[in-house]
Amino acid sequence: MVIILKPQYEERQLNHLLKWLEGYKLKTALVKGEQSTILGLIGDTSKVDIETVKAIDIVESVKRIQEPFKAANRKFHPDDTVIDVSGQKIGGKNFTMMAGPCSVESREQICEIAASVKSAGAGVLRGGAFKPRTSPYAFQGLRAEGIELMLEAKKATGLPIVSEIMNINDLKLFDDVDIIQVGARNMQNFEMLKELGCTNKPILLKRGLASTMEELLMSAEYILSGGNKNVMLCERGIRTFETYTRNTLDLSAIPLLKEHSHLPVLVDPSHATGISRLVKPMSMAAAAAGADGLIIEVHNDPAAALCDGAQSLTPEAFSDLARSVNALLPGLGKKTII
Amino acid sequence: MVIILKPQYEERQLNHLLKWLEGYKLKTALVKGEQSTILGLIGDTSKVDIETVKAIDIVESVKRIQEPFKAANRKFHPDDTVIDVSGQKIGGKNFTMMAGPCSVESREQICEIAASVKSAGAGVLRGGAFKPRTSPYAFQGLRAEGIELMLEAKKATGLPIVSEIMNINDLKLFDDVDIIQVGARNMQNFEMLKELGCTNKPILLKRGLASTMEELLMSAEYILSGGNKNVMLCERGIRTFETYTRNTLDLSAIPLLKEHSHLPVLVDPSHATGISRLVKPMSMAAAAAGADGLIIEVHNDPAAALCDGAQSLTPEAFSDLARSVNALLPGLGKKTII
Amino acid sequence: MVIILKPQYEERQLNHLLKWLEGYKLKTALVKGEQSTILGLIGDTSKVDIETVKAIDIVESVKRIQEPFKAANRKFHPDDTVIDVSGQKIGGKNFTMMAGPCSVESREQICEIAASVKSAGAGVLRGGAFKPRTSPYAFQGLRAEGIELMLEAKKATGLPIVSEIMNINDLKLFDDVDIIQVGARNMQNFEMLKELGCTNKPILLKRGLASTMEELLMSAEYILSGGNKNVMLCERGIRTFETYTRNTLDLSAIPLLKEHSHLPVLVDPSHATGISRLVKPMSMAAAAAGADGLIIEVHNDPAAALCDGAQSLTPEAFSDLARSVNALLPGLGKKTII
Amino acid sequence: MVIILKPQYEERQLNHLLKWLEGYKLKTALVKGEQSTILGLIGDTSKVDIETVKAIDIVESVKRIQEPFKAANRKFHPDDTVIDVSGQKIGGKNFTMMAGPCSVESREQICEIAASVKSAGAGVLRGGAFKPRTSPYAFQGLRAEGIELMLEAKKATGLPIVSEIMNINDLKLFDDVDIIQVGARNMQNFEMLKELGCTNKPILLKRGLASTMEELLMSAEYILSGGNKNVMLCERGIRTFETYTRNTLDLSAIPLLKEHSHLPVLVDPSHATGISRLVKPMSMAAAAAGADGLIIEVHNDPAAALCDGAQSLTPEAFSDLARSVNALLPGLGKKTII
């Protein structure tokens, strides 16, 4: 930690500060100049609250040197974390395709999609039972029944399943769900993260719409520090001024998160852009940038009768996408999925 | 709702769409052109899912005309909502000053600040018991004990109190808390909003860091539509690229939220900027822009022994701020607070 | 300047770095730790290129301590700059109202508005001759003719005038223009800034849509360092994700720019929000936050015949706004304008 | 164009509006409802100023249906534009690697890098002579001399060259420069765009830091509508709240710009992220997303003596990057470059 002192300060004030810091058993070094004075702190500064230091009268600014996350930090865990999800390995040299409908609608729908995406190369079935909706008047998902239908599709196909939790009190409903998704809007629902940290369920943690990569890693730290080591990160677009896309997919997060952390990094191109035509090029870009997997919305098109082809990805389009991504994998040092 | 059709479509597809829309009992009108065709829908379109319409093959884009919030909408509720909080009126011609420490630390601290801010003109005591912290290693608040201490300060001063809830399972702890705060990070914790909608507690709903005003109003709608009419909104800064401030305080939200909605609008200048020197000018600006109140961090300076004056607002500075804001109120059509 | 070194480095590399720094005659101090090493540089580091230092192999990060602007810096120029514009003082205890149409359209229009805003308290007439338009097909302003018409209105009313320059080759057209405006899109047109620095014309420099306050001050520095001391800054909204407003007016820029710099700070609430109903509340908020003036769009409503009252501010609405702002000024330590 | 009228309006007002619209020879259709009324306009609405319509008293909102750009629009120009730069084809099935130093420093430097990047597969040499720098105290480039050195490197290697223009008065210096770059900060320097539209030089137009894709296309339209058809677009990162990277590279711009426009789309991963370690993964991602080329900073490491390996891309690293990108091209339907 580096503390920059204001140009004018009294020795008395500095001594107060130094005395207070003594409690933290840090090595300190003072560099005085005419315009400013630098106080360097070396050692384990993780307990020193940066906001308290900033609030000290003679302090102009503070710069943390060490990253504030530990359990998620690659420095202390150089090897890639590989998570075993019911036999399906996620991370390392593996590339995992998660696919399925935005919302579970019926047994027929979910089982049909499950079979279809499995044959196209998907390793995990996704499906929404609890749906976070901006409007209270919008369909909120089939909820408990949706989880039941997901479990039937799991039984039918053998695919592990991932679904989003929105209320920690629903945790028991997720007993047989293989991966629990924490959505972007709950990335900083710290009370829920703490409770998930006490389970050993694999967690798919999505980046918040306005969250920095560091905040994403700190939210992962909440889960990891609780004892649950099975966390995978998911980039799904951040909020910017651009209006052609719903969000701006930040693919630079892939190499950066993997540099700072050992956790697997997946990408959700469907929610990021909100445009089905972009799912394939963004999936290929994500793979090329080093992602450990993708989570893709696939729809078996019940709307067809009505509208001759909805814009979401059909099973055929998903199959084409999977083949194209698969062709990239060997060149990227990843195992193929088909 | 206005639906723009793609240049080329088949009559068959259009007929499918019109047939589907019949179910909603809407008046439709078709305007055909060479480059594009417009389909206008008039009537109650609140049940028509805009995402489903967008997904239809022949649809280029969709524009909602009616605002998606109703209970929060000033159109259907022209008069200002005035909320009675234990005798303290919030909204309308009232201006409410909420003040207190970021975190409750001890009985002595909270009672001392409470007495001090009350005498300076504050009508509500704020204090954090449950603290949302980015890091799992940071102090998470005194939690249940913090609420107890707030209640003691309430008893001692008669000031109603406001404190943040982070887990709906803690609701019973808030039985005697006068206003429940929903923090920025939980603004879209829809499951919590639903449960708060089933109470009749006044709710202070803070705008999320990356939430639009419309999303804030939709989150209010979750509470209101559950039956709880006592919602006040709070602007507290949004996330932008600027680095001199922690967030960018969006004061244009005050007149806009008040135009679109009848709910009281408060402003938190302390969290918005993260700089105590800015609290006074931003408080005055918020009042001048028409805010119904302020929520201000005040610290009774236990750090003084250590550092000769922390940067947070002292009770004296708060008192000065309150006097300056008070002087503006008559010119703004608001009742004075001192 | 503080340089954080990477955990592992060779003495040889460090010696190279120290030798290179010798050339800058800085005092250096090294603080070694297990996880990281801090190198503090004290002295005039303004010549040390931070990007070059960052590019050095053993450097993890670099933090500048001193602000990179000097001529604009209040540290070296504690008193407010007051600019004399043809007898009209801007800055210090003065509050300046600049008002006029977005585009100059005709002699009649500009002269009529000029007379009207003058009688309402405006001290400077604004008017656009060269218009920056996103579309090449949109009206680009009356250009040279527009400047001529502004000069006639100046002669008729005695009001100094401000107008935007878009091409430095037009500079001679601005000989009798009192204040040259540099628009948001040209805030980092460095070549133009340099040439304006060689004049002694008062410059109204608008903040770019995505520019930090520091970048605004650095652009002012371009002009000031060229010898032209007559620069005033203008906050006019920054680009964010919010869609209810065209831009987000950042009023915290007022106290911060005035803290960091001695230059006058004005606010343009018309362009910031794009909504005429917000101009009055945002003007009052800007004044309350300490602005040195406002620049307001006023329209003498030729559209009235067509549309019974356009949404831009009429002269009457401007007059009401001016009176309301004027009433705030004494309490803010500013001289009244009416 | 769709105009939404306010709930209450008088027939007289509507008639005024309809009469005004008559001048534009548009087909209109009115759909009346209880809550709102929709007025659809079909035909060539490009001359109708949307801001004027919005300003009309009875208008609630306006939605443009047609895209505001024509010359850049793929609808009217379905085939990819392929630009011939001194024999080097850009766009279509071609993939173009532009590479070279951020700043031209010396004859030796630029010629050495030119030879090296050519042998690695680069088709165009980039190099900065005029440098846009935030600070007036920073090195502003070798300027005219830098262009001279670039031309020598061109003669020595046969590579066409691209360099940035910052002042239209320097245009004659670019007579033998093959591609003129318009930097992000000048993307909306409309006066410069107009003059470049009167040349027939290939232009590399970079997206502004806070510019939407539509604004980028409108700036291209300025050049195209002037008669210069040789425009290529360049995504180089947009400004967001994220701090790990300098800007956020928006790769979804590649498929979207190519969908809306026929112009070639290149990507600059060096400036976007500001981190040399990210240049390779982001280059591969850009290629996978369908980019027509890359512009990469390569440094021949004169800093080596000092600092044992600067962080910018060395010629060796560039060569590795080029080989990796090249391996992707056949699968993407692009011609290989090596």
Side-chain angles (χ1 to χ4, degrees):
Chain A
M1 188 174 283
V2 176
I3 300 176
I4 315 301
L5 300 182
K6 289 186 183 161
Q8 279 83 33
Y9 62 86
E10 296 169 36
E11 279 306 310
R12 182 181 54 89
Q13 294 176 303
L14 177 61
N15 289 336
H16 267 141
L17 174 58
L18 291 173
K19 198 164 177 193
W20 179 66
L21 288 168
E22 266 176 23
Y24 295 95
K25 301 184 195 268
L26 302 165
K27 203 169 152 186
T28 62
L30 196 72
V31 191
K32 291 191 192 194
E34 262 172 68
Q35 295 277 339
S36 52
T37 297
I38 299 168
L39 179 63
L41 307 182
I42 301 287
D44 179 7
T45 57
S46 65
K47 299 277 163 56
V48 182
D49 184 45
I50 201 163
E51 294 299 323
T52 301
V53 178
K54 274 185 189 164
I56 295 173
D57 204 27
I58 61 171
V59 170
E60 183 153 309
S61 64
V62 183
K63 185 179 161 62
R64 209 172 38 207
I65 296 170
Q66 287 172 297
E67 290 164 316
F69 45 91
K70 292 176 184 177
N73 202 321
R74 191 177 279 275
K75 275 186 191 150
F76 310 118
H77 188 310
D79 293 333
D80 287 343
T81 281
V82 178
I83 300 173
D84 189 317
V85 177
S86 315
Q88 181 81 27
K89 299 267 200 307
I90 301 176
K93 296 204 166 305
N94 307 286
F95 190 88
T96 307
M97 202 67 110
M98 304 185 179
C102 179
S103 291
V104 178
E105 289 165 16
S106 68
R107 175 176 298 108
E108 199 176 25
Q109 171 231 29
I110 188 68
C111 289
E112 194 177 314
I113 297 184
S116 142
V117 299
K118 185 183 181 184
S119 74
V124 176
L125 175 68
R126 60 153 286 169
F130 296 91
K131 298 300 302 171
R133 302 298 300 264
T134 305
S135 168
Y137 309 120
F139 176 56
Q140 309 270 320
L142 288 181
R143 305 176 69 87
E145 190 196 336
I147 298 289
E148 281 308 309
L149 297 177
M150 286 290 288
L151 291 172
E152 293 193 32
K154 173 184 174 178
K155 197 184 287 180
T157 57
L159 280 181
I161 61 176
V162 55
S163 199
E164 180 170 351
I165 194 168
M166 287 180 60
N167 186 335
I168 195 64
N169 295 333
D170 295 328
L171 188 55
K172 57 195 165 304
L173 291 173
F174 287 76
D175 270 354
D176 297 318
V177 172
D178 302 274
I179 304 173
I180 298 180
Q181 176 177 317
V182 175
R185 290 176 183 76
N186 279 311
M187 191 202 90
Q188 292 195 320
N189 184 339
F190 300 120
E191 298 291 311
M192 189 157 87
L193 299 179
K194 281 181 200 172
E195 300 210 33
L196 293 172
C198 299
T199 72
N200 60 2
K201 275 278 175 212
I203 307 293
L204 179 70
L205 179 64
K206 289 195 154 187
R207 181 180 182 185
L209 275 78
S211 298
T212 62
M213 297 180 214
E214 187 168 296
E215 287 169 342
L216 173 59
L217 290 169
M218 291 307 287
S219 286
E221 193 80 10
Y222 262 95
I223 303 170
L224 295 165
S225 66
N228 183 349
K229 301 303 179 200
N230 301 309
V231 178
M232 49 203 109
L233 308 171
C234 183
E235 159 64 27
R236 43 80 72 218
I238 58 173
R239 199 159 248 190
T240 71
F241 59 84
E242 176 58 57
T243 54
Y244 271 12
T245 45
R246 190 157 56 188
N247 298 289
T248 296
L249 186 62
D250 179 8
L251 291 181
S252 58
I254 301 169
L256 277 172
L257 289 172
K258 291 182 74 71
E259 176 180 318
H260 289 282
S261 174
H262 50 86
L263 300 172
V265 177
L266 288 90
V267 170
D268 176 347
S270 305
H271 282 92
T273 62
I275 301 173
S276 66
R277 301 183 306 278
L278 298 193
V279 173
K280 186 178 171 186
M282 290 301 101
S283 292
M284 293 183 68
D292 294 307
L294 293 164
I295 176 162
I296 309 267
E297 269 188 32
V298 176
H299 207 277
N300 66 345
D301 211 4
L306 164 67
C307 59
D308 298 286
Q311 287 183 22
S312 34
L313 231 57
T314 58
E316 293 70 37
F318 173 70
S319 184
D320 167 58
L321 180 161
R323 280 192 303 270
S324 296
V325 168
N326 192 60
L328 295 177
L329 297 177
L332 298 160
K334 293 277 191 186
K335 297 179 195 164
T336 53
I337 56 171
I338 308 180
Chain B
M1 188 173 281
V2 176
I3 300 176
I4 316 300
L5 300 182
K6 290 187 183 160
Q8 279 82 33
Y9 61 87
E10 295 169 37
E11 280 305 311
R12 183 181 54 88
Q13 294 174 302
L14 176 62
N15 289 336
H16 267 142
L17 174 57
L18 291 173
K19 197 164 179 193
W20 180 66
L21 288 167
E22 265 177 25
Y24 294 95
K25 299 181 196 270
L26 301 166
K27 204 169 151 186
T28 62
L30 197 72
V31 191
K32 292 191 191 194
E34 262 172 67
Q35 294 278 338
S36 52
T37 296
I38 300 168
L39 180 64
L41 307 183
I42 301 287
D44 179 9
T45 57
S46 65
K47 300 275 164 55
V48 182
D49 186 46
I50 202 164
E51 295 300 323
T52 301
V53 178
K54 275 185 190 164
I56 296 174
D57 204 27
I58 62 171
V59 171
E60 182 152 310
S61 64
V62 183
K63 184 179 162 62
R64 208 171 39 206
I65 296 170
Q66 287 171 296
E67 290 164 315
F69 45 92
K70 291 177 183 174
N73 202 321
R74 192 178 277 276
K75 274 186 193 149
F76 310 118
H77 188 309
D79 294 332
D80 287 343
T81 281
V82 178
I83 300 174
D84 189 317
V85 176
S86 314
Q88 181 80 28
K89 301 267 199 307
I90 301 176
K93 295 202 166 307
N94 307 286
F95 190 89
T96 307
M97 202 68 108
M98 304 185 179
C102 179
S103 290
V104 179
E105 289 166 15
S106 68
R107 176 176 297 109
E108 198 176 28
Q109 173 233 27
I110 188 68
C111 289
E112 195 177 311
I113 296 183
S116 144
V117 299
K118 186 186 181 183
S119 73
V124 176
L125 176 67
R126 60 152 287 167
F130 296 90
K131 300 300 303 171
R133 302 299 301 264
T134 305
S135 167
Y137 309 120
F139 176 56
Q140 310 270 319
L142 288 182
R143 304 175 71 86
E145 190 196 337
I147 298 288
E148 281 308 309
L149 297 178
M150 286 289 288
L151 291 173
E152 291 192 34
K154 173 184 176 179
K155 197 184 289 179
T157 57
L159 280 181
I161 60 176
V162 56
S163 199
E164 179 170 352
I165 194 168
M166 285 179 60
N167 187 335
I168 196 64
N169 295 334
D170 294 327
L171 188 56
K172 58 194 165 305
L173 292 172
F174 286 76
D175 269 354
D176 297 318
V177 172
D178 302 274
I179 304 172
I180 297 180
Q181 177 178 316
V182 175
R185 288 177 184 76
N186 278 312
M187 192 201 90
Q188 292 195 320
N189 183 338
F190 300 121
E191 297 291 310
M192 188 156 87
L193 299 179
K194 281 180 199 171
E195 300 210 31
L196 292 172
C198 299
T199 74
N200 59 1
K201 276 280 176 211
I203 306 293
L204 179 70
L205 179 65
K206 289 194 153 188
R207 181 180 181 184
L209 276 79
S211 298
T212 62
M213 298 181 213
E214 187 166 298
E215 287 169 342
L216 173 58
L217 291 168
M218 291 308 286
S219 285
E221 193 80 10
Y222 261 96
I223 304 171
L224 295 164
S225 66
N228 184 350
K229 301 302 179 199
N230 302 307
V231 178
M232 49 203 110
L233 308 171
C234 184
E235 160 63 28
R236 44 79 73 218
I238 56 173
R239 198 158 248 189
T240 71
F241 59 82
E242 175 60 57
T243 54
Y244 272 12
T245 45
R246 190 157 54 189
N247 297 289
T248 296
L249 186 63
D250 179 9
L251 292 181
S252 59
I254 301 169
L256 277 172
L257 289 172
K258 291 182 75 69
E259 176 180 318
H260 288 283
S261 173
H262 50 86
L263 301 173
V265 176
L266 288 91
V267 170
D268 176 346
S270 305
H271 282 93
T273 62
I275 301 174
S276 66
R277 300 183 307 278
L278 297 194
V279 173
K280 185 178 170 186
M282 290 301 101
S283 292
M284 294 183 67
D292 294 307
L294 293 163
I295 178 161
I296 309 268
E297 269 188 32
V298 177
H299 207 278
N300 65 346
D301 210 2
L306 164 66
C307 59
D308 298 286
Q311 287 183 23
S312 32
L313 232 55
T314 59
E316 293 69 38
F318 173 69
S319 184
D320 168 59
L321 180 161
R323 279 192 305 271
S324 297
V325 168
N326 193 58
L328 294 178
L329 297 177
L332 298 160
K334 292 277 191 185
K335 297 180 196 165
T336 54
I337 57 171
I338 306 180
Chain C
M1 188 173 281
V2 176
I3 300 176
I4 315 300
L5 300 182
K6 289 185 183 162
Q8 278 84 32
Y9 61 88
E10 294 168 38
E11 279 307 310
R12 184 181 53 88
Q13 294 175 303
L14 177 61
N15 290 336
H16 267 141
L17 174 58
L18 291 173
K19 198 164 178 193
W20 180 66
L21 288 167
E22 264 176 26
Y24 294 95
K25 300 182 196 270
L26 302 166
K27 203 169 150 187
T28 61
L30 198 71
V31 191
K32 292 191 190 194
E34 261 173 67
Q35 295 277 338
S36 53
T37 296
I38 300 168
L39 180 63
L41 307 182
I42 301 288
D44 180 9
T45 57
S46 65
K47 300 276 164 55
V48 182
D49 185 45
I50 202 164
E51 295 300 322
T52 301
V53 179
K54 274 185 190 165
I56 295 173
D57 204 27
I58 62 171
V59 170
E60 181 151 311
S61 64
V62 183
K63 184 180 164 61
R64 208 172 38 208
I65 296 170
Q66 287 170 296
E67 290 163 315
F69 45 91
K70 291 176 184 176
N73 202 321
R74 192 178 277 277
K75 274 186 194 149
F76 310 119
H77 189 309
D79 294 331
D80 288 343
T81 281
V82 178
I83 300 174
D84 189 317
V85 176
S86 315
Q88 181 81 26
K89 301 266 199 306
I90 301 177
K93 294 203 167 307
N94 307 286
F95 190 89
T96 308
M97 201 68 108
M98 305 185 179
C102 179
S103 290
V104 179
E105 289 166 15
S106 69
R107 176 177 297 109
E108 197 176 28
Q109 173 232 27
I110 189 68
C111 289
E112 194 177 311
I113 297 183
S116 144
V117 299
K118 186 186 181 184
S119 73
V124 175
L125 176 67
R126 60 152 286 168
F130 296 89
K131 299 300 302 171
R133 303 298 301 265
T134 306
S135 167
Y137 309 121
F139 176 55
Q140 311 270 321
L142 289 182
R143 305 176 71 87
E145 190 196 338
I147 298 288
E148 281 308 309
L149 297 178
M150 286 289 289
L151 291 173
E152 292 193 33
K154 174 185 175 179
K155 196 184 290 179
T157 58
L159 280 182
I161 60 176
V162 55
S163 199
E164 179 170 352
I165 194 167
M166 286 179 59
N167 187 335
I168 196 63
N169 295 335
D170 295 327
L171 188 56
K172 57 194 166 305
L173 291 173
F174 287 76
D175 269 354
D176 297 317
V177 172
D178 302 274
I179 304 172
I180 297 180
Q181 177 178 315
V182 175
R185 288 177 183 77
N186 278 312
M187 192 201 89
Q188 292 195 320
N189 184 338
F190 300 121
E191 297 292 310
M192 188 156 87
L193 298 179
K194 280 181 200 172
E195 300 211 31
L196 293 172
C198 300
T199 74
N200 59 0
K201 276 279 177 212
I203 307 293
L204 178 71
L205 179 64
K206 290 195 153 188
R207 182 180 182 185
L209 276 79
S211 298
T212 62
M213 297 181 214
E214 187 167 298
E215 287 169 342
L216 173 58
L217 291 168
M218 291 308 287
S219 286
E221 194 80 10
Y222 261 95
I223 303 170
L224 295 165
S225 66
N228 184 350
K229 302 302 179 199
N230 301 308
V231 178
M232 50 204 110
L233 308 171
C234 184
E235 160 63 27
R236 44 79 72 220
I238 56 173
R239 198 158 248 190
T240 71
F241 59 82
E242 176 60 56
T243 54
Y244 272 13
T245 45
R246 190 157 53 189
N247 297 289
T248 297
L249 186 63
D250 179 9
L251 292 181
S252 58
I254 302 169
L256 277 171
L257 288 172
K258 290 182 75 69
E259 176 181 318
H260 288 283
S261 174
H262 49 87
L263 300 173
V265 177
L266 288 92
V267 170
D268 176 347
S270 306
H271 282 93
T273 62
I275 301 174
S276 66
R277 300 182 309 277
L278 297 194
V279 174
K280 186 178 171 186
M282 290 300 102
S283 291
M284 294 183 67
D292 294 307
L294 293 163
I295 178 160
I296 308 269
E297 269 187 33
V298 177
H299 207 277
N300 65 347
D301 210 0
L306 164 67
C307 59
D308 298 286
Q311 288 184 22
S312 32
L313 232 54
T314 59
E316 293 70 39
F318 173 69
S319 184
D320 167 59
L321 180 160
R323 279 192 304 270
S324 297
V325 167
N326 193 58
L328 294 178
L329 296 177
L332 298 161
K334 292 277 191 186
K335 297 180 195 164
T336 54
I337 56 171
I338 307 181
Chain D
M1 189 174 283
V2 176
I3 300 176
I4 315 300
L5 300 182
K6 288 185 184 162
Q8 278 83 33
Y9 62 86
E10 295 169 36
E11 280 305 311
R12 183 181 54 89
Q13 294 175 303
L14 177 61
N15 289 336
H16 267 142
L17 174 58
L18 290 173
K19 198 165 177 192
W20 179 66
L21 288 168
E22 266 176 24
Y24 295 95
K25 301 183 196 269
L26 301 166
K27 202 169 153 187
T28 62
L30 196 72
V31 191
K32 291 191 192 194
E34 262 172 68
Q35 295 278 339
S36 54
T37 297
I38 299 168
L39 180 63
L41 308 182
I42 301 287
D44 179 8
T45 58
S46 65
K47 298 276 163 55
V48 182
D49 184 45
I50 201 164
E51 295 300 322
T52 300
V53 178
K54 274 185 189 164
I56 295 174
D57 204 28
I58 61 171
V59 170
E60 183 153 308
S61 64
V62 184
K63 185 180 163 61
R64 208 172 38 208
I65 297 169
Q66 287 171 297
E67 290 164 316
F69 45 91
K70 292 176 185 175
N73 202 321
R74 191 178 279 276
K75 274 185 193 150
F76 310 118
H77 188 310
D79 293 333
D80 287 343
T81 280
V82 177
I83 300 174
D84 189 317
V85 177
S86 314
Q88 181 79 27
K89 299 265 200 308
I90 301 176
K93 295 204 166 306
N94 306 287
F95 191 89
T96 307
M97 202 68 108
M98 304 184 179
C102 178
S103 291
V104 179
E105 290 166 15
S106 69
R107 175 175 299 107
E108 197 176 28
Q109 172 232 27
I110 189 68
C111 289
E112 193 176 314
I113 296 184
S116 142
V117 299
K118 185 185 182 184
S119 74
V124 176
L125 175 67
R126 59 153 286 167
F130 297 90
K131 299 299 301 171
R133 302 297 301 263
T134 305
S135 169
Y137 310 120
F139 175 56
Q140 310 271 320
L142 289 182
R143 304 175 71 87
E145 190 196 338
I147 298 289
E148 281 308 310
L149 298 177
M150 286 290 288
L151 291 172
E152 293 193 32
K154 174 183 174 178
K155 196 183 291 178
T157 58
L159 280 181
I161 61 176
V162 56
S163 199
E164 180 170 351
I165 194 167
M166 286 179 61
N167 187 336
I168 195 64
N169 295 334
D170 295 327
L171 188 55
K172 58 195 165 304
L173 292 173
F174 287 76
D175 269 355
D176 297 319
V177 172
D178 302 273
I179 304 173
I180 297 181
Q181 177 178 316
V182 175
R185 289 176 183 77
N186 279 312
M187 191 202 89
Q188 293 195 320
N189 184 338
F190 300 120
E191 297 292 311
M192 189 156 87
L193 299 179
K194 281 180 200 172
E195 299 211 32
L196 293 172
C198 299
T199 72
N200 61 1
K201 275 279 176 210
I203 307 293
L204 179 71
L205 179 64
K206 289 195 154 187
R207 182 180 181 184
L209 275 79
S211 298
T212 61
M213 297 180 214
E214 187 167 298
E215 287 169 341
L216 173 58
L217 291 169
M218 291 307 287
S219 286
E221 193 80 9
Y222 261 95
I223 304 170
L224 296 164
S225 65
N228 183 349
K229 302 302 179 200
N230 301 309
V231 178
M232 49 204 109
L233 308 171
C234 183
E235 159 65 28
R236 44 79 72 219
I238 58 173
R239 199 159 247 190
T240 71
F241 59 83
E242 176 58 55
T243 54
Y244 272 13
T245 44
R246 190 156 56 188
N247 297 289
T248 296
L249 186 62
D250 179 9
L251 292 181
S252 58
I254 303 168
L256 277 172
L257 289 172
K258 291 182 74 71
E259 176 179 319
H260 288 282
S261 174
H262 49 88
L263 301 172
V265 178
L266 288 91
V267 171
D268 175 346
S270 305
H271 282 93
T273 63
I275 301 173
S276 66
R277 300 182 306 278
L278 298 194
V279 173
K280 186 178 170 187
M282 289 300 101
S283 292
M284 293 182 68
D292 294 307
L294 293 163
I295 176 161
I296 308 266
E297 268 187 32
V298 177
H299 207 277
N300 66 345
D301 211 2
L306 164 67
C307 60
D308 299 287
Q311 288 183 24
S312 33
L313 231 56
T314 58
E316 293 70 37
F318 173 70
S319 184
D320 167 60
L321 180 160
R323 280 192 302 271
S324 297
V325 168
N326 193 59
L328 294 177
L329 297 177
L332 299 160
K334 293 277 192 186
K335 296 180 195 163
T336 53
I337 56 171
I338 307 180

